[in-house]
Amino acid sequence: MTELTNLTVAGIRDGFRNGDFTAREVAEGFIGQVEGARALNAFIIETPDHAIAAAEAADRGRAVGEFGALSGVPMGIKDLFCTEGYQTTAASHILEGFVPTYESTVTAKLFGAGAGMLGKLNMDQFAMGSSNETSAFGNVISPWRRNNGDGAALAPGGSSGGSSAAIAARLCPAATGTDTGGSIRQPAAFTGISGIKPTYGRCSRWGIVAFASSLDQAGPMARDVRDCAILLEVMTGFDPRDSTSLDLPVPNWQAALSGDLKGKRIGIPKEYRVDGMPPEIEALWQQGIAWMKDAGAEIVDVSLPHTKYALPAYYIIAPAEASSNLARYDGVRYGQRELPDGAGLQDMYAATRAAGFGDEVKRRIMIGTYVLSAGYYDAYYTQAQKVRALIARDFEQAWTKCDMLLTPTAPSAAFGLGEKQADPIAMYLNDVFTVPASLAGLPAMSVPAGLDSQGLPLGLQIIGKPLDEQGVLDAGLAIEERAGFTARAGKWW
Amino acid sequence: MSVDSATVRKIASLARIAVSDAEAEALAPELSKILGLVEQLSEVDTTGIAPLAAVVPNHLRLRDDVVTDGDIRDKILKNAPQAEHGFFAVPKVIE
Amino acid sequence: MSNYRIQGATGEWEVVIGLEVHAQITSNAKLFSGASTRFGNEPNANVSLVDAAMPGMLPVLNRECVRQAVRTGMAIDAQINKWSRFDRKNYFYADLPQGYQISQLYHPIVGEGSLLIDADEKAGIPEPKTIGVERIHIEQDAGKLMHDQHPTRSYVDLNRCGVALMEIVSRPDMSSPAEAGAYIRKLRSILRYVGSCDGNMEEGSMRADVNVSVRRAGEELGTRTETKNVNSVRFVMQAIEYEAGRQVDVLEAGGKIVQETRLFDPDKAVTRSMRSKEDAHDYRYFPDPDLLPLELEDSFLVDCRASLPELPDAKRARYRDALGISAYAADVITADVETARWFETLLAAGAEAKAGANWLTSELFGALNRLGRTISDCPVSPVQAAQLLALVADGTLSGSLAKQVFEIMLESGEDPAKIVDERGMKQTSDTGAIEAVIAGILAANADKVEQYKGGKEALFGFFVGQTMKAMAGKANPKVVNDLLKKALEA
């Protein structure tokens, strides 16, 4: 059944409709892949029963001519999405054993369209991290290895590292991700897959464990741009239960998908040329520019003058929101409780949270607590939100000159596990290209564009105007068509 | 701005995260480094700039005043570390 | 200016009082969730996943709560802020599942307004006084902890958690316990007129945080303390009295007032320090990123204003000036919206205003007091009462008969006409019948007739009494008088 597990979402969907195979065959194929790849530690729990049940329902549906948009397609679900009846932990010990009695809007839409769930994907704890090394359930190991034979375990990126690793290793054709400062795009780039973060408000946040509410957006991760469009149509849409949800119809992105960029102006922001960026990344960027021209686009130079302040603003706003969002993990209503002998309520909180949260989560909660605390609020938080307004304004001014921006997704290829762990700042710098679009709520995607000299994938990022997912997907497709990225990780697991 | 271990302990207490003295010592330089990163923002002139209020233009929708939820006590208590007689139970609070 | 002063050992002290009243907004569902606000349900029955702060749950604002806060603001002539926002107030407690309360610190929905407390000579309020209201904001209520059901555990009930509150913050404009009491009563009255809060302090629908400081006349404001969650007008007044006295004692002994949160003990009528909750007064407020700014449209504001009822001050003036009702009765009837509503139904059913007002403030209130009932569960409807008053007005019932009929109405709930009919309680003016009775009484009391005629005119009352008694109270007293005179002079 290995050929089935090489199919894309579109391939599975169409083959299933055509009667080339049953949904059950597809599900079993992927379940086998998942079981055979535990060395990657991509899943926190496997849920073959869910995938099989969805597949059987799809097969029954097909018998009477009923198809959902994703009938027969099994997926991986990032463990940040609450799934009814299946443990949801956000990769944190503090939520170990938590079994939601409700289904997140996004997963409900996916399952409603016929998709099945192969398992809950590992991730950085509470989506805080860029390498998947902050999970309480162990690191996810990228299926990719350097071509120098060193056998070093590499980071699959983060925070959606289980998602990226699982797709790259063909454990699932697609997965959900969430992106707060680059958590879909950076892991996609690290593992040679595609992923899109839609405009803030397109995907409902209801039922997704919150990290930083004003930044969090769900999005699909898959092998190619078309699959992203297919999934995005299912995942997005107005949800009255999320006050920040956009009350807009969902466009038919898939049908309108076109790699022809005639008449489009692609902006190249000069501030994204950062010191110390590897020449290979710079070269790839130039290659991307050439592809864009080849697809008919006009290239314009633009300036986003506040780019260098995006990361500092992000590291105030995201921790501030997180420090408050994570206050609910207190050992009272769900999750782990740590109750030392004779402890009072407040001691119980402190012990529960000390034992339940990982180091990076604690660091960010403390930074957030500090920047919001009396006397510092205006200097840090208010100033950060003002800078954020300036960053948004930079983009608005750029849109008077261009329709989209092309940048590298990350300043490096995948690094080795453990390499950056000692220095949080070095790790944070990995998000330097993805954070600005997050702060401005813009749609952005990463598509694989090539390999570096070590044989590791590199991605290019397209950032679009608010609500212009179509433009982003089209530009992504233009790159995909020209990059001809077919490399995949050799199986070692 | 650099924070010392006493400040770390104060923040940790506000955030209800128990830290040992050794942890506080270790966290102080880490947090100081991060604060050093974010302090670059002070050099940005934001005179006359309003803090960003909504990420994407959108307006707050209001819900009708209708009871649509509740009566799900079993679901509410299902994951509780300790639930008794329909309540969540916590160590006795002395007020 | 109130002349209330604390007489200290070293001289007189003024008291400065500000009140933060938390009023539960009347709504079916909670502020940010669809769970019911009903009082008295099973523990944790009125709880949604949002109220329990389950992971990934999000708030969605209830329009009615916004509407009621705006209408309340309009009722105290306050500035309505068309742009407001919700902030998170962060702290850890078992009755607060989110770890933060959604409130409005930086941009409240209602700004500066005021209300007028009435003069009350006896309470030391010589003339009406305007009390400033600094702001009204909307926020979530917390859940409830039970401490006495288990020896080592507290139990958490989240039924109240997320219920909408208005926090109505006064200026420190009150200077005596009586003024504070009058302010709360007036505020309660306005809230009940507007319909934004039922004002039920026993069920916790209204409670006050009481800020008190003392100073020597003309000096700067002193350091204040805040006594939390006081839940009756009387307790508010007691708390102020105690707290002001305590502060004077401390200051006169050379001590300093600590700015702190205190608790009122209603059994001993004292306040005491709550230092246990003092450790972390850093709430780290910031705008709630799960919610967008609240922007009110003009049409919404127009609807809010159009839906405001006549408010107590205006109503009272109208009763006095246009209806000619006594100042006392107008005060009493307009003080509570239910009474005013009852009274206006009475008038609509045909009762004359002055007679109606007098009857309501004497007969009806007397009866309700006796029965321990309120006007909202009065066994007699205003329409029935109007029928009763009509029977008096047209001479069918005498005053004393009306009282008897009313008693029966209270017991049976029956219409007065039916009672009069079935029990034959109609007053009679049938001169023939009355003359016959009079003739009999005069014949039976010939000696007294003699004495009367001899000049002992006080006996006239005796003859009236005998006649009425013989007619079981149903004779028209005026007719009896006339006929008796005629018979005695014959």
Side-chain angles (χ1 to χ4, degrees):
Chain A
M1 283 296 152
T2 41
E3 16 357 307
L4 287 185
T5 57
N6 279 331
L7 292 173
T8 60
V9 170
I12 294 168
R13 180 193 63 183
D14 298 344
F16 168 69
R17 284 189 184 224
N18 292 339
D20 300 345
F21 42 76
T22 65
R24 195 177 172 109
E25 287 170 321
V26 176
E28 283 172 348
F30 280 107
I31 289 166
Q33 293 281 91
V34 169
E35 286 170 353
R38 288 185 182 138
L40 302 180
N41 199 28
F43 288 88
I44 293 176
I45 57 166
E46 295 168 13
T47 59
D49 58 320
H50 190 286
I52 291 291
E56 285 176 343
D59 286 332
R60 282 195 305 273
R62 184 173 66 176
V64 293
E66 284 174 6
F67 297 96
L70 296 174
S71 287
V73 180
M75 291 180 67
I77 301 296
K78 188 177 182 180
D79 205 28
L80 205 60
F81 292 80
C82 290
T83 42
E84 185 171 1
Y86 294 93
Q87 177 185 264
T88 300
T89 67
S92 181
H93 178 59
I94 207 160
L95 272 175
E96 215 173 328
F98 171 61
V99 179
T101 57
Y102 50 95
E103 188 71 51
S104 83
T105 299
V106 166
T107 48
K109 281 172 180 278
L110 288 168
F111 300 156
M117 174 170 67
L118 289 160
K120 299 300 290 289
L121 290 159
N122 204 346
M123 52 180 280
D124 275 304
Q125 190 166 153
F126 282 104
M128 297 175 187
S130 307
S131 63
N132 228 292
E133 291 167 287
T134 70
S135 169
F137 301 94
N139 299 341
V140 176
I141 298 164
S142 173
W144 290 86
R145 293 203 157 163
R146 295 189 183 108
N147 56 13
N148 62 2
D150 70 356
L154 301 180
S159 66
S160 309
S163 306
S164 64
I167 295 165
R170 306 291 194 268
L171 313 186
C172 50
T176 60
T178 63
D179 190 316
T180 303
S183 282
I184 286 174
R185 292 161 284 162
Q186 184 257 21
F190 275 22
T191 56
I193 64 163
S194 298
I196 181 166
K197 174 194 96 71
T199 308
Y200 181 81
R202 280 278 199 204
C203 279
S204 168
R205 295 183 294 113
W206 196 89
I208 302 174
V209 174
F211 164 15
S213 309
S214 76
L215 295 152
D216 295 344
Q217 259 301 286
M221 299 170 78
R223 297 239 307 281
D224 65 21
V225 173
R226 176 168 300 276
D227 281 4
C228 285
I230 292 169
L231 293 163
L232 195 62
E233 280 180 28
V234 177
M235 292 167 71
T236 53
F238 175 59
D239 182 0
R241 293 180 298 182
D242 174 358
S243 296
T244 59
S245 172
L246 291 165
D247 190 0
L248 294 171
V250 176
N252 195 337
W253 290 304
Q254 187 192 169
L257 202 57
S258 160
D260 181 357
L261 301 184
K262 267 191 227 48
K264 296 285 182 192
R265 295 163 304 164
I266 305 291
I268 308 300
K270 65 176 188 200
E271 290 79 6
Y272 280 56
R273 260 182 202 99
V274 295
D275 292 344
M277 187 161 80
E280 284 177 305
I281 304 267
E282 173 65 33
L284 183 81
W285 196 3
Q286 292 307 320
Q287 177 63 66
I289 292 170
W291 287 332
M292 290 282 145
K293 283 185 192 160
D294 182 57
E298 181 194 338
I299 303 297
V300 291
D301 286 326
V302 297
S303 171
L304 300 168
H306 295 90
T307 298
K308 73 177 270 209
Y309 300 112
L311 211 55
Y314 176 85
Y315 275 97
I316 289 173
I317 293 163
E321 293 182 7
S323 70
S324 179
N325 283 336
L326 271 59
R328 64 189 55 193
Y329 306 104
D330 59 8
V332 175
R333 296 165 316 286
Y334 42 78
Q336 296 298 305
R337 166 184 287 193
E338 196 71 23
L339 186 59
D341 273 351
L345 179 71
Q346 301 293 342
D347 302 326
M348 180 187 91
Y349 289 158
T352 296
R353 292 161 62 79
F357 291 138
D359 288 345
E360 181 61 18
V361 174
K362 288 182 195 172
R363 255 197 298 272
R364 297 209 197 181
I365 289 175
M366 287 209 245
I367 288 291
T369 303
Y370 183 77
V371 299
L372 289 177
S373 65
Y376 297 110
Y377 174 74
D378 281 328
Y380 287 112
Y381 187 81
T382 308
Q383 175 73 356
Q385 288 288 19
K386 286 179 180 173
V387 170
R388 188 177 184 182
L390 288 172
I391 288 164
R393 200 172 68 180
D394 284 355
F395 281 111
E396 278 160 33
Q397 284 168 355
W399 302 138
T400 63
K401 295 192 181 126
C402 65
D403 303 303
M404 274 160 280
L405 298 164
L406 176 72
T407 79
T409 306
S412 74
F415 45 83
L417 290 170
E419 272 175 29
K420 297 196 186 215
Q421 226 177 354
D423 183 1
I425 304 279
M427 189 70 88
Y428 296 173
L429 287 172
N430 222 263
D431 295 330
V432 67
F433 298 145
T434 48
V435 156
S438 292
L439 288 171
L442 302 172
M445 101 174 283
S446 178
V447 287
L451 298 176
D452 73 355
S453 60
Q454 304 178 98
L456 297 180
L458 297 172
L460 284 171
Q461 173 179 232
I462 300 117
I463 302 171
K465 296 175 183 172
L467 308 178
D468 189 22
E469 284 79 6
Q470 189 71 61
V472 171
L473 290 162
D474 287 352
L477 184 64
I479 293 172
E480 181 179 284
E481 286 169 350
R482 284 162 184 79
F485 186 91
T486 53
R488 57 183 286 189
K491 189 169 189 296
W492 53 262
W493 56 88
Chain B
M1 167 79 65
S2 83
V3 295
D4 56 18
S5 58
T7 309
V8 171
R9 277 193 295 271
K10 201 184 131 214
I11 303 168
S13 150
L14 262 182
R16 297 296 187 277
I17 296 174
V19 289
S20 66
D21 287 351
E23 285 168 323
E25 288 293 333
L27 273 163
E30 282 177 14
L31 299 187
S32 297
K33 237 176 136 178
I34 299 170
L35 290 170
L37 168 78
V38 304
E39 259 149 27
Q40 288 176 56
L41 288 190
S42 61
E43 67 195 51
V44 185
D45 181 5
T46 52
T47 317
I49 302 296
L52 193 79
V55 184
V56 168
N58 197 352
H59 63 276
L60 189 63
R61 283 177 311 273
L62 303 174
R63 206 181 82 235
D64 288 340
D65 182 29
V66 183
V67 175
T68 55
D69 211 337
D71 270 330
I72 48 166
R73 185 160 78 183
D74 292 347
K75 285 187 173 189
I76 295 295
L77 298 175
K78 179 174 177 287
N79 280 284
Q82 193 170 40
E84 291 168 8
H85 315 299
F87 296 96
F88 296 102
V90 296
K92 189 144 192 123
V93 179
I94 295 115
E95 279 186 327
Chain C
M1 189 64 205
S2 152
N3 48 18
Y4 183 84
R5 298 286 184 278
I6 306 265
Q7 297 297 331
T10 61
E12 287 194 336
W13 297 78
E14 289 175 8
V15 186
V16 178
I17 304 152
L19 294 173
E20 291 165 22
V21 173
H22 297 262
Q24 180 182 329
I25 298 177
T26 302
S27 64
N28 300 313
K30 293 183 179 180
L31 181 55
F32 293 113
S33 86
S36 168
T37 58
R38 242 189 77 188
F39 182 79
N41 279 8
E42 288 285 294
N44 292 309
N46 301 351
V47 180
S48 73
L49 299 168
V50 176
D51 305 318
M54 291 289 165
M57 292 299 99
L58 299 169
V60 182
L61 183 58
N62 182 336
R63 178 184 297 107
E64 178 64 9
C65 301
V66 174
R67 199 179 77 92
Q68 292 293 26
V70 168
R71 293 174 74 246
T72 305
M74 287 173 168
I76 57 162
D77 290 323
Q79 183 196 321
I80 307 301
N81 294 323
K82 289 174 71 177
W83 193 97
S84 67
R85 202 169 58 181
F86 289 92
D87 302 302
R88 292 184 182 178
K89 177 183 185 177
N90 294 284
Y91 65 95
F92 288 89
Y93 204 57
D95 62 6
L96 190 72
Q98 294 170 134
Y100 53 85
Q101 176 194 35
I102 305 179
S103 181
Q104 297 187 300
L105 175 73
Y106 296 109
H107 297 279
I109 189 162
V110 175
E112 199 82 33
S114 67
L115 62 78
L116 192 70
I117 57 171
D118 303 321
D120 184 347
E121 216 49 84
K122 273 182 283 179
I125 309 174
E127 51 198 51
K129 181 174 176 181
T130 300
I131 307 294
V133 172
E134 184 189 317
R135 59 188 281 157
I136 301 177
H137 65 254
I138 307 173
E139 64 184 25
Q140 299 175 297
D141 203 353
K144 212 174 160 193
L145 287 186
M146 324 275 173
H147 304 298
D148 45 12
Q149 315 209 346
H150 190 280
T152 61
R153 289 173 206 147
S154 291
Y155 284 156
V156 186
D157 174 14
L158 299 177
N159 277 351
R160 283 195 70 89
C161 183
V163 166
L165 303 177
M166 285 180 280
E167 180 168 333
I168 304 158
V169 183
S170 86
R171 292 279 173 197
D173 288 348
M174 288 155 277
S175 46
S176 71
E179 286 185 6
Y183 170 83
I184 294 188
R185 279 194 300 268
K186 188 57 171 281
L187 181 61
R188 182 174 181 274
S189 164
I190 290 172
L191 295 177
R192 286 175 51 81
Y193 266 80
V194 169
S196 57
C197 172
D198 67 18
N200 190 333
M201 295 188 96
E202 295 75 45
E203 287 180 7
S205 299
M206 244 180 110
R207 46 197 200 266
D209 295 346
V210 185
N211 289 296
V212 175
S213 65
V214 298
R215 64 176 172 191
R216 298 215 186 257
E219 283 185 1
E220 295 283 293
L221 283 178
T223 304
R224 64 184 171 85
T225 62
E226 180 178 27
T227 304
K228 288 266 189 203
N229 273 333
V230 188
N231 65 358
S232 84
V233 175
R234 190 163 58 93
F235 293 162
V236 166
M237 294 170 66
Q238 288 176 351
I240 295 167
E241 204 163 332
Y242 174 83
E243 184 55 20
R246 184 191 70 86
Q247 291 185 14
V248 166
D249 290 346
V250 169
L251 291 170
E252 291 194 330
K256 270 195 159 172
I257 302 304
V258 186
Q259 183 163 352
E260 63 175 353
T261 305
R262 298 178 72 84
L263 204 67
F264 181 69
D265 177 346
D267 296 330
K268 302 193 179 89
V270 301
T271 68
R272 56 186 165 80
S273 180
M274 286 174 72
R275 287 216 181 79
S276 59
K277 279 195 173 180
E278 282 297 293
D279 61 334
H281 244 37
D282 190 342
Y283 292 127
R284 290 158 284 132
Y285 281 98
F286 76 109
D288 192 326
D290 285 332
L291 293 161
L292 298 158
L294 172 59
E295 290 164 283
L296 302 178
E297 290 179 8
D298 288 329
S299 60
F300 182 83
L301 298 181
V302 167
D303 289 348
C304 285
R305 194 169 294 281
S307 72
L308 280 184
E310 185 183 33
L311 293 168
D313 287 351
K315 196 181 281 293
R316 183 174 54 183
R318 179 168 66 84
Y319 282 7
R320 277 191 316 231
D321 304 343
L323 299 182
I325 294 170
S326 74
Y328 167 77
D331 281 357
V332 171
I333 294 171
T334 58
D336 184 73
V337 68
E338 289 298 331
T339 312
R341 208 170 277 154
W342 208 97
F343 177 64
E344 291 186 3
T345 314
L346 180 75
L347 297 193
E352 193 271 324
K354 272 190 274 188
N358 289 339
W359 179 83
L360 187 147
T361 52
S362 54
E363 301 300 326
L364 182 68
F365 275 16
L368 291 175
N369 260 339
R370 226 170 43 236
L371 299 172
R373 285 177 179 244
T374 67
I375 196 121
S376 4
D377 60 357
C378 177
V380 172
S381 77
V383 172
Q384 290 176 315
Q387 292 166 356
L388 178 67
L389 291 173
L391 292 175
V392 176
D394 72 8
T396 308
L397 291 178
S398 64
S400 66
L401 267 180
K403 282 181 207 243
Q404 293 174 38
V405 172
F406 181 48
E407 287 304 323
I408 298 166
M409 288 168 73
L410 287 169
E411 271 176 36
S412 65
E414 284 172 357
D415 286 348
K418 181 168 179 252
I419 295 168
V420 168
D421 245 28
E422 284 179 0
R423 312 197 184 202
M425 294 176 78
K426 208 174 265 182
Q427 163 175 278
T428 178
S429 305
D430 177 345
T431 49
I434 297 171
E435 277 170 345
V437 171
I438 288 174
I441 285 167
L442 297 189
N445 295 284
D447 53 334
K448 292 208 169 61
V449 175
E450 276 313 302
Q451 290 169 21
Y452 176 85
K453 286 186 171 166
K456 201 169 178 189
E457 290 188 2
L459 279 170
F460 188 73
F462 166 79
F463 296 123
V464 172
Q466 290 296 309
T467 310
M468 293 303 279
K469 189 175 165 194
M471 297 205 64
K474 281 178 245 168
N476 182 326
K478 186 170 178 306
V479 176
V480 170
N481 269 355
D482 292 350
L483 293 179
L484 254 175
K485 276 205 180 108
K486 218 166 89 188
L488 286 165
E489 278 155 21

